[in-house]
Amino acid sequence: MERVGLRASPRTTLEALKEALKGVRFPEAKVYFITDWQDRRHQARYALLIHGGKKDLLTPDAFGPAFQGGEEALSELVSLLLDLGARKFYEAVVSPAEMTALLELPPEELVRRINAIANPTDPGIYLKRAA
């Protein structure tokens, strides 16, 4: 599993992820948004796991409204993934205290845990709409 990006750095992580996405086979891959809030999306942080499709990628919690520019970066990322052909989107909600420990798990354990708690999600909820 390739770890990409820096915690709390949406733009840096997005740019690094754009490069790392080369070689991922979409639509085979599953895209997991790992978040610490479901009922408070306005303050959520998101990490990203892309599993399958030849290579696995993991970002730290770098996206979402919790970080300056994070909501815009998340929206741009989702648009990019859709353009690349991603069709399998999931969301895994963990407690804020569990987020960091979860992302430090060995790859096999992390994938197993995320797969067990994730539910299908509509990528549209992550797209920022123009006002």
Side-chain angles (χ1 to χ4, degrees), residues 2 11 13 23-24 39 44 53 57-58 64 66 83 87 99 111 117 120:
E2 182 180 346
R11 187 54 48 191
T13 302
V24 173
D39 58 340
L57 302 171
L58 177 67
D83 289 346
R87 297 294 176 258
M99 175 79 88
V111 169
I117 63 174

Side-chain angles (χ1 to χ4, degrees), residues 25-31 78-90 120-123:
R25 287 190 199 149
F26 292 105
E28 296 170 24
K30 293 180 180 179
V31 177
V78 171
S79 292
L80 174 63
L81 292 170
L82 289 168
D83 289 346
L84 290 171
R87 297 294 176 258
K88 300 173 187 171
F89 292 91
Y90 300 87
T121 190
D122 178 353

Side-chain angles (χ1 to χ4, degrees), residues 4-15 34 36 43-48 58-74 99-100 103-104:
V4 180
L6 300 170
R7 184 177 188 281
S9 300
R11 187 54 48 191
T12 300
T13 302
L14 179 60
E15 293 307 315
I34 306 164
D36 57 349
Q43 67 188 62
R45 55 189 171 135
Y46 292 89
L48 182 80
L58 177 67
T59 72
D61 50 328
F63 299 104
F67 307 113
Q68 185 174 3
E71 190 172 11
E72 294 80 7
L74 179 62
M99 175 79 88
T100 303
L103 297 176
E104 296 299 322

